[in-house]
Amino acid sequence: MKRVLVATGGGDCPGLNAVIRAVVKRAAQEKDWEVVGSIQSFDGILKEPTEIKILDDAAVKGIHYQGGTIIGTTTKGGPFAWPVKNKDGSWGSADRSDEMIRKLQYLGIDAVISIGGDGSQKISQALYEKGLNIIGVPKTIDNDLSATDFTFGYQTAVQICTEAVDKLKTTAASHNRVFILEAMGRDAGWIALSAAIAGGAEACLIPEIPYDIKKVKEKLDTRFLKGKGFGIIVVAEGAMPKGGSALAEESTEVGNPNLKLSGAADRLAAELKEAGIEADIRTTVLGHLQRGGIPVAYDRVLATQFGVKAFEMVLEGKFGQMVAYRHPEVVGVPLPEAIGQQNLVDPKSNLVATAKGVGIAFGD
Ligand code: F6P
């Protein structure tokens, strides 16, 4: 039997299980392939004893509509930066990539499918350069990978964020309040922008278009007359005022290199008050609700396409590539191309023009 190892790395995202299931179901159509999962990304390989799981039909039954990942994930460490406690109690890191590749050989792994975002795919490329037969599958609710038109998980996050706008509207209207909804997305404003359009927000503030608070106030002023009216603002967690920067702090998790973005909604509320908004302003930070629960149908379909394609690329020996959706095809793109550039909202794009066309203010 030949063995393909599947690992999910980075933050979880609706649709991961649908990819895993698709890999297993496609592999089952070949007589000589077995699929195994590494528990919590590559940690499962690096741990003693090894934590891997056979992924057969029974293991993936009915998981396509489950959120999360049945093999776990982590944003910490990885084979090139394994957290190691120094003698003085501080944390350092060790490169265990060679050891991991040896262990994969020992376990009879012929190929690896690494499902993850930009950080995970940088690891995929580095492992490929060391000779590992690896294929990447992009995932992130942020939709910020440039090689693919869309990542799965994004549409689910947009749906959840839109439902939040819908719900906030009724309470905002009842109380004549301003509601600020903070959406995830890191440096990209995709989730906030799509939810603002779908939900009919008054303003949408995204990292790609730094805002002028006076312009945001002007928009809200048009929504209030003699104390009546309401306003909904969707703000991306990475949004920033003109001349300012996104609010971020170091992660307190050992080995997690990512900055934690938070505080955009509260900062905006304070700025609006200072600018003279009299209405009551409330903030809602949607947070990880955007990553939880069942994936919408679109994400399940895309995830399934990615899983089937990834296994077929294993069969064809197309290693060092990442699966990508380029409408209407699912193709393989070289990993360096896939990790080279972020996919950010173009302020001159049709989506921004559409939002402006229906009166959504960006504060620009
Ligand atoms: O990249 C996905 C994402 O959900 C971002 O939108 C968000 O900033 C980040 O991950 C949160 O990461 P964590 O779950 O590690 O706090």
Side-chain angles (χ1 to χ4, degrees):
M1 287 296 271
K2 290 182 190 159
R3 287 183 133 187
V4 57
L5 180 104
V6 177
T8 47
D12 73 325
C13 157
L16 287 171
N17 282 327
V19 180
I20 296 169
R21 173 177 170 273
V23 170
V24 171
K25 287 202 164 278
R26 180 62 188 84
Q29 292 175 25
E30 305 297 316
K31 287 195 178 57
D32 48 354
W33 279 92
E34 181 178 58
V35 185
V36 290
S38 174
I39 303 301
Q40 274 183 310
S41 191
F42 292 121
D43 288 15
I45 302 297
L46 289 163
K47 277 186 186 160
E48 284 299 341
T50 308
E51 290 180 15
I52 57 173
K53 178 183 166 116
I54 300 288
L55 296 172
D56 54 14
D57 250 8
V60 301
K61 201 165 178 215
I63 65 167
H64 53 293
Y65 55 86
Q66 283 174 23
T69 158
I70 61 162
I71 50 177
T73 186
T74 179
T75 42
K76 293 175 258 175
F80 292 94
W82 186 260
V84 180
K85 201 164 199 173
N86 298 320
K87 283 195 181 116
D88 63 1
S90 63
W91 286 90
S93 66
D95 181 351
R96 295 183 64 193
S97 55
D98 290 331
E99 180 193 342
M100 190 179 90
I101 290 173
R102 279 197 302 276
K103 218 164 160 193
L104 288 170
Q105 283 162 354
Y106 172 76
L107 292 166
I109 304 295
D110 298 283
V112 173
I113 295 176
S114 173
I115 312 167
D118 51 351
S120 304
Q121 299 315 338
K122 281 178 188 146
I123 293 174
S124 300
Q125 171 62 17
L127 290 169
Y128 176 67
E129 283 168 13
K130 287 189 162 228
L132 191 69
N133 289 340
I134 192 162
I135 283 165
V137 174
K139 69 87 225 180
T140 170
I141 62 164
D142 303 340
N143 197 40
D144 61 352
L145 290 175
S146 62
T148 181
D149 290 355
F150 289 110
T151 50
F152 63 85
Y154 163 60
Q155 297 293 353
T156 303
V158 169
Q159 185 66 31
I160 293 166
C161 199
T162 302
E163 282 164 17
V165 175
D166 295 345
K167 289 183 171 126
L168 289 176
K169 277 207 152 184
T170 56
T171 178
S174 306
H175 289 270
N176 305 113
R177 283 173 171 158
V178 173
F179 267 88
I180 302 172
L181 176 67
E182 185 176 307
M184 278 186 165
R186 300 202 77 87
D187 305 326
W190 292 109
I191 300 172
L193 175 55
S194 293
I197 296 172
E202 279 62 52
C204 174
L205 307 181
I206 58 175
E208 296 87 341
I209 307 178
Y211 60 86
D212 175 348
I213 198 67
K214 285 197 214 98
K215 297 268 173 63
V216 185
K217 179 183 179 289
E218 274 167 25
K219 173 69 191 185
L220 287 178
D221 285 343
T222 67
R223 298 284 303 171
F224 285 89
L225 185 64
K226 293 185 183 149
K228 295 274 183 270
F230 68 97
I232 304 284
I233 304 174
V234 185
V235 60
E237 61 182 2
M240 61 197 81
K242 278 186 180 160
S245 54
L247 293 175
E249 57 193 52
E250 302 260 320
S251 172
T252 48
E253 287 176 314
V254 173
N256 185 348
N258 298 326
L259 290 174
K260 216 163 95 185
L261 280 85
S262 71
D266 285 340
R267 170 169 68 181
L268 179 63
E271 288 168 341
L272 284 172
K273 273 286 159 203
E274 205 182 309
I277 289 289
E278 283 170 9
D280 193 23
I281 305 175
R282 298 299 176 97
T283 57
T284 300
V285 180
L286 208 41
H288 291 79
L289 286 175
Q290 288 157 105
R291 273 180 16 197
I294 59 170
V296 297
Y298 183 93
D299 284 335
R300 293 185 216 176
V301 174
L302 187 59
T304 304
Q305 285 177 287
F306 280 1
V308 168
K309 179 71 178 177
F311 183 75
E312 288 177 350
M313 281 166 60
V314 168
L315 289 180
E316 292 159 13
K318 289 190 175 159
F319 301 114
Q321 299 201 21
M322 189 187 82
V323 175
Y325 177 55
R326 299 251 172 103
H327 183 75
E329 302 297 335
V330 176
V331 298
V333 293
L335 276 165
E337 188 186 320
I339 57 184
Q341 221 192 334
Q342 271 186 311
N343 173 32
L344 300 177
V345 174
D346 177 356
K348 295 192 173 70
S349 63
N350 175 269
L351 206 56
V352 172
T354 298
K356 288 184 173 176
V358 292
I360 296 174
F362 287 81
D364 57 341

